[in-house]
Amino acid sequence: MSKERVFATYHIETPYDLEFAAKVMAGEQSTGTFIAVPGETEELKDQHAAKVVSVEELEQVSTPSLPGSKPPKGEVGPIKYRRGKVVLSFPLHNIGPSIPNLLSTVVGNLYELREISGLRLMDLELPIAFLEKYKGPKFGIEGTRKLVNVYNRPLIGTIVKPSIGLTPEDLRKVVRDLAFAGIDFIKDDELNANPPYAPLKERVKAVMEEIDRVADKTGKKAMYAFNITDDIDQLERNYETVVNAGGNCVMVSINSIGLAGVAHLRKFSEVPIHGHRNQWGAMTRDPYLGMEFTAYQKMCRLVGVDHLHCNGINSKFYESNESVIKSVKDCITPMFDGYTAMPVLSSGQWAGTAEVSYKSMDTVDVMHLAGGGIIGHPGGTEAGVKSMIQGWEAAISGISIEEYAKTHVELKQAIDKFSK
Amino acid sequence: MSKERVFATYHIETPYDLEFAAKVMAGEQSTGTFIAVPGETEELKDQHAAKVVSVEELEQVSTPSLPGSKPPKGEVGPIKYRRGKVVLSFPLHNIGPSIPNLLSTVVGNLYELREISGLRLMDLELPIAFLEKYKGPKFGIEGTRKLVNVYNRPLIGTIVKPSIGLTPEDLRKVVRDLAFAGIDFIKDDELNANPPYAPLKERVKAVMEEIDRVADKTGKKAMYAFNITDDIDQLERNYETVVNAGGNCVMVSINSIGLAGVAHLRKFSEVPIHGHRNQWGAMTRDPYLGMEFTAYQKMCRLVGVDHLHCNGINSKFYESNESVIKSVKDCITPMFDGYTAMPVLSSGQWAGTAEVSYKSMDTVDVMHLAGGGIIGHPGGTEAGVKSMIQGWEAAISGISIEEYAKTHVELKQAIDKFSK
């Protein structure tokens, strides 16, 4: 049998000895059972057991992160909850290069063990067989740049607002305005997919007519990410609706259709897949539960996400700027020596967030989305787009935005309205 | 436009006024944006905004459940985190009867709001359009009983152990033994799907040959839930492999293929779908994050899960018995006046857990799975199965198992080995 293995890194918290807890984890997710059964031979264990690769002690705490853990019997005095970094490895031949079965194996029942009071999947290292199977992003950063013909700066984009409720005719006007403004990228809100009051088919028609008309006049065709999130068969029909109308990008809520749904879409999609990560908070906001973005984004990229949402600097969400920066760096760190996804910065963004984004992330390979920051710009949408580009020009040149704003009125207006 | 609405109940925790936090939630998941934008008319809000239906105060705490919340500006003194029950309603026409888009709407970005320090989706009430679209379990309790011809007691089942590593020939022997023992139901472990060392095709062949041979002799055909969890297209091929060999049940890891994956399977599956909920712990173990099982199981049933795992009484996991009991009751509470799924009790189960299960759950409409409790029975597998049935006979008759064991040797042996 193959010697290849999957490596999974966890942070755990346990009232037990860390080594013991790590062994319980390995047993639960491979050959263990609560009572010895016939057929559980040494040879079978040797071939199929998960192995504890390393255990590294971290701090101790006196209060458990999660309820329901059972301390060892006979423990006296106040219970200590030991935190540690645990690496397990699993034989690839237990799983095969299958993301759904990988999830059942590296995550599976671990969060439910009573021996643990906290557990988080931090990172994954996968054999090359996964690359051969899933192929990764079809476009990634390079392919996306080529489609919109924008280089050496971020793609400037926006989310159609209001998020929900525009009729196809209202949407037509919004898109016309944005396309004429010279924007690189527009996306649907994740709340707006194929709603009865404005079916995708009608939205696609209105949007693409406007985008194509502007492209004919200006030579610039904006990329529009249509939210095609839906049941599996409808997903395929929605995709066809988009590409048959000349659409050049589709968006999905990754956690709504599952990684398996994204992998399915990747098989037939001939346009970039814009990945929205709504619902991700449930998987990550408790620091001793769920998953670290580092592990999550690797799986997203593997199944074919070309653009991946990472929140933005000073966003309206709970996430710290440090965490956002780390997420962006994760997405642009090559996987299997290739495979990058374009990180998407959004939420509370405007021209003024370019500087700190560039300084902290040290890249222009991002999509920078502003909703109100563009559409709500006092000089109008075109000025909004210009202000964003100027914000990045300043950042890349190492000039403060206040200084740059002296000769760039749109940036000045943005600062006056949005800076707090 | 339709007046139908989706109702979602949450438990939240917030450093703000509860009413305010509820409004932020409603805005985030419908017509809100961080700055007023053109097109955000009163009429649009009236038609498309989510509404706060009710806010009920619960307790206050001094420590936030989740990191990253930002207390109101100017708050002095120690911060209070207010807990409450919030009901929101969403217009159905924002979403359509689509589970993936329902998730983006009722969950979406809520967990990431910095105005909240805890949020859990507790329950969902869905318009009838969802029933018309998704159809629910094709078999449920009644259909499953009919297939195995077992009435007035739980279905007694087991999980093939060791979980992983048996060759198809080893598996053949295990299944032969179980089928001759008169067991109702056998399932693959969630770790074992279509692994390279024992491809599903070979496993199906070995298993079905044994089950059919025993059925020819004894007239009893055990139901075997083959784990077909995989990528979407492979899922369909795996399904075909099973039914073409005469298989009468398929199993999936629900969270590995997503609810969309299950709904897809439901469209073509002509056998019951056995739903394993591994990875569910990540969604539920933090009481102020993720989802309550009540909400989750409704969606699982809607997309077609016929049997749903609920852990078991005195299991090896962290979950309390109260929670397990509530989960079982959830699954057998009719939805849309129909639609029940058969709850599956497993983990650490043996004949002795029948009594407390029956007393607390007040139903025999469960699948009772024992791994070691059957295969590890000192009298062998057949005695193991008998002991489980005897445990339920005692429970249903209101006789203590100790008393019943006096005249039932298999139960006696089980008590001697497994009771602690």
Side-chain angles (χ1 to χ4, degrees):
Chain A
M1 291 192 194
S2 153
K3 298 276 177 222
E4 285 184 294
R5 300 181 79 83
V6 165
F7 291 84
T9 304
Y10 308 86
H11 276 183
I12 70 166
E13 181 188 286
T14 174
Y16 287 81
D17 177 70
L18 282 167
E19 292 277 354
F20 173 78
K23 278 184 194 149
V24 170
M25 291 166 64
E28 176 63 29
Q29 294 309 115
S30 63
T31 58
T33 177
F34 93 114
I35 197 154
V37 294
E40 206 180 310
T41 62
E42 282 310 310
E43 192 198 342
L44 182 144
K45 284 189 197 172
D46 185 58
Q47 290 280 351
H48 297 280
K51 284 180 190 159
V52 178
V53 177
S54 66
V55 175
E56 186 188 318
E57 264 186 59
L58 299 172
E59 71 277 18
Q60 294 191 351
V61 292
S62 54
T63 313
S65 293
L66 300 171
S69 65
K70 305 273 188 327
K73 275 178 190 166
E75 185 101 340
V76 289
I79 296 155
K80 282 180 201 158
Y81 295 88
R82 299 158 181 91
R83 290 180 171 174
K85 182 176 162 186
V86 169
V87 180
L88 300 184
S89 78
F90 304 84
L92 176 62
H93 60 240
N94 280 12
I95 314 166
S98 161
I99 293 270
N101 290 306
L102 177 77
L103 287 168
S104 300
T105 300
V106 299
V107 176
N109 297 328
L110 289 178
Y111 303 113
E112 297 195 49
L113 292 176
R114 66 179 171 193
E115 287 86 357
I116 66 111
S117 58
L119 188 141
R120 185 175 181 85
L121 178 66
M122 301 299 288
D123 201 358
L124 279 172
E125 214 178 289
L126 301 172
I128 198 82
F130 279 88
L131 167 70
E132 289 156 1
K133 169 87 169 291
Y134 288 100
K135 320 283 187 199
K138 201 175 268 185
F139 293 85
I141 294 168
E142 208 175 321
T144 299
R145 285 198 177 284
K146 205 169 164 188
L147 281 175
V148 291
N149 195 28
V150 169
Y151 297 93
N152 304 318
R153 64 163 174 84
L155 269 60
I156 304 300
T158 194
I159 307 110
V160 171
K161 296 281 173 190
S163 311
I164 187 105
L166 293 179
T167 64
E169 284 313 300
D170 291 337
L171 177 61
R172 178 187 288 278
K173 286 173 217 148
V174 171
V175 171
R176 184 186 305 158
D177 180 41
L178 286 164
F180 267 124
I183 203 161
D184 304 319
F185 179 87
I186 310 169
K187 70 177 271 290
D188 283 331
D189 194 273
E190 69 275 14
L191 294 171
N192 204 25
N194 189 19
Y197 79 91
L200 182 70
K201 204 157 194 162
E202 294 174 30
R203 296 202 296 112
V204 167
K205 184 170 182 290
V207 167
M208 291 315 298
E209 279 176 11
E210 293 303 321
I211 285 183
D212 285 339
R213 193 180 309 163
V214 173
D216 284 346
K217 283 189 187 156
T218 67
K220 182 170 175 75
K221 182 172 177 173
M223 178 176 277
Y224 192 105
F226 289 99
N227 183 1
I228 63 166
T229 304
D230 219 319
D231 290 322
I232 300 297
D233 49 354
Q234 188 63 39
L235 189 72
E236 196 158 345
R237 288 195 289 271
N238 290 350
Y239 167 82
E240 295 294 342
T241 300
V242 172
V243 292
N244 290 343
N248 52 11
C249 187
V250 291
M251 160 179 161
V252 288
S253 292
I254 300 165
N255 304 310
S256 285
I257 65 169
L259 292 166
V262 179
H264 182 67
L265 174 60
R266 165 67 172 82
K267 291 207 169 180
F268 54 80
S269 181
E270 296 292 339
V271 298
I273 298 171
H274 187 85
H276 197 279
R277 65 175 190 178
N278 66 76
Q279 304 158 60
W280 167 239
M283 290 293 294
T284 206
R285 188 158 171 182
D286 183 328
Y288 264 85
L289 189 62
M291 228 179 258
E292 186 78 6
F293 187 74
T294 308
Y296 176 72
Q297 56 87 29
K298 280 189 179 175
M299 290 189 283
C300 292
R301 284 153 71 182
L302 200 54
V303 296
V305 170
D306 294 289
H307 317 146
L308 185 53
H309 278 248
C310 296
N311 283 336
I313 295 289
N314 303 330
S315 85
K316 66 181 175 186
F317 293 118
Y318 85 97
E319 194 179 358
S320 71
N321 287 345
E322 291 65 36
S323 172
V324 173
I325 294 161
K326 185 167 168 292
S327 297
V328 168
K329 290 190 173 173
D330 276 343
C331 291
I332 59 176
T333 301
M335 199 176 157
F336 300 118
D337 292 329
Y339 269 32
T340 55
M342 191 166 230
V344 182
L345 304 178
S346 72
S347 169
Q349 299 300 291
W350 63 285
T353 52
E355 188 177 17
V356 56
S357 300
Y358 183 66
K359 275 193 183 161
S360 57
M361 297 163 189
D362 197 26
T363 182
V364 293
D365 282 336
V366 299
M367 214 172 243
H368 197 195
L369 309 189
I374 286 178
I375 308 178
H377 190 284
T381 306
E382 190 175 350
V385 173
K386 278 190 182 161
S387 74
M388 297 285 289
I389 295 176
Q390 290 163 1
W392 281 92
E393 284 169 356
I396 296 166
S397 322
I399 302 168
S400 76
I401 53 166
E402 289 76 17
E403 186 62 32
Y404 206 70
K406 289 179 184 165
T407 51
H408 295 85
V409 62
E410 295 85 2
L411 185 57
K412 176 76 168 62
Q413 290 172 311
I415 294 171
D416 291 345
K417 175 149 188 188
F418 301 121
S419 97
K420 286 158 208 164
Chain B
M1 289 191 194
S2 154
K3 297 279 176 218
E4 286 184 294
R5 300 182 79 83
V6 166
F7 292 84
T9 304
Y10 307 86
H11 276 183
I12 68 164
E13 182 190 285
T14 175
Y16 286 81
D17 178 69
L18 283 166
E19 293 277 353
F20 174 79
K23 279 183 194 150
V24 170
M25 290 166 65
E28 176 64 27
Q29 294 309 117
S30 62
T31 58
T33 176
F34 93 113
I35 198 153
V37 293
E40 205 178 310
T41 62
E42 284 309 311
E43 193 199 342
L44 182 144
K45 283 188 197 172
D46 186 58
Q47 291 278 353
H48 297 280
K51 284 180 190 157
V52 178
V53 177
S54 66
V55 175
E56 186 187 317
E57 265 186 58
L58 299 171
E59 71 277 17
Q60 294 190 351
V61 292
S62 55
T63 313
S65 293
L66 300 172
S69 65
K70 304 272 189 327
K73 275 178 190 166
E75 184 102 340
V76 288
I79 296 157
K80 282 179 201 160
Y81 296 88
R82 299 159 180 91
R83 288 179 173 176
K85 182 176 162 185
V86 169
V87 180
L88 300 185
S89 79
F90 304 85
L92 176 62
H93 60 238
N94 278 13
I95 313 164
S98 161
I99 293 270
N101 289 305
L102 177 77
L103 287 169
S104 301
T105 299
V106 300
V107 176
N109 297 328
L110 289 177
Y111 303 113
E112 296 196 50
L113 292 177
R114 65 179 171 193
E115 287 86 357
I116 66 111
S117 58
L119 188 142
R120 185 175 181 86
L121 178 68
M122 300 300 288
D123 202 357
L124 279 173
E125 217 177 288
L126 301 173
I128 199 83
F130 278 89
L131 167 70
E132 289 157 1
K133 169 86 170 290
Y134 287 101
K135 320 279 188 203
K138 199 173 271 184
F139 294 84
I141 294 168
E142 207 175 321
T144 299
R145 285 198 179 283
K146 205 170 165 187
L147 281 175
V148 290
N149 194 28
V150 170
Y151 298 93
N152 304 317
R153 65 162 173 83
L155 269 60
I156 303 301
T158 195
I159 306 109
V160 170
K161 297 280 173 190
S163 310
I164 187 104
L166 293 178
T167 64
E169 284 313 300
D170 292 336
L171 176 62
R172 177 187 289 278
K173 286 174 216 148
V174 171
V175 171
R176 183 187 305 158
D177 181 42
L178 286 164
F180 267 122
I183 203 161
D184 304 319
F185 178 88
I186 309 168
K187 70 177 273 289
D188 283 330
D189 195 273
E190 69 274 13
L191 294 170
N192 203 24
N194 189 19
Y197 78 92
L200 182 69
K201 205 159 192 161
E202 293 174 30
R203 295 202 297 113
V204 167
K205 184 170 183 290
V207 167
M208 291 315 297
E209 280 176 11
E210 294 304 320
I211 284 183
D212 286 338
R213 192 180 309 162
V214 173
D216 285 345
K217 282 188 188 161
T218 68
K220 183 171 174 74
K221 182 172 177 173
M223 180 177 274
Y224 192 105
F226 289 99
N227 183 0
I228 64 166
T229 304
D230 219 319
D231 290 322
I232 301 296
D233 50 351
Q234 188 63 40
L235 190 71
E236 197 159 345
R237 288 195 289 271
N238 290 351
Y239 167 82
E240 295 294 342
T241 300
V242 172
V243 292
N244 289 344
N248 53 9
C249 187
V250 291
M251 160 179 161
V252 287
S253 292
I254 300 166
N255 305 310
S256 284
I257 65 168
L259 291 165
V262 179
H264 182 67
L265 173 60
R266 165 67 171 81
K267 292 209 168 178
F268 55 80
S269 180
E270 296 293 339
V271 298
I273 299 171
H274 187 85
H276 197 279
R277 64 174 192 178
N278 66 76
Q279 303 158 61
W280 165 240
M283 290 295 293
T284 207
R285 188 159 172 182
D286 183 328
Y288 264 85
L289 189 63
M291 228 179 258
E292 186 77 5
F293 187 73
T294 308
Y296 176 71
Q297 57 88 29
K298 280 190 178 173
M299 292 189 282
C300 292
R301 282 154 73 184
L302 200 54
V303 297
V305 170
D306 293 288
H307 317 145
L308 185 53
H309 279 247
C310 296
N311 281 338
I313 297 288
N314 304 331
S315 85
K316 68 181 173 185
F317 294 118
Y318 85 97
E319 194 179 357
S320 71
N321 287 346
E322 291 66 35
S323 172
V324 173
I325 294 161
K326 185 168 169 288
S327 297
V328 167
K329 290 190 172 173
D330 277 343
C331 291
I332 59 176
T333 300
M335 198 176 158
F336 300 117
D337 292 329
Y339 268 35
T340 54
M342 191 165 229
V344 182
L345 304 178
S346 73
S347 170
Q349 300 299 293
W350 63 285
T353 53
E355 189 177 17
V356 57
S357 301
Y358 182 65
K359 275 193 182 159
S360 57
M361 298 164 190
D362 198 27
T363 183
V364 294
D365 282 336
V366 298
M367 214 172 242
H368 198 194
L369 309 189
I374 286 178
I375 309 179
H377 190 284
T381 306
E382 190 175 349
V385 173
K386 280 190 180 160
S387 73
M388 296 285 291
I389 295 176
Q390 291 163 3
W392 279 92
E393 285 169 356
I396 296 165
S397 323
I399 302 168
S400 77
I401 54 165
E402 289 75 17
E403 187 61 31
Y404 206 70
K406 287 178 184 166
T407 51
H408 295 85
V409 62
E410 295 85 2
L411 185 56
K412 176 75 168 62
Q413 290 173 311
I415 295 171
D416 290 345
K417 176 150 187 187
F418 302 120
S419 97
K420 286 160 208 164

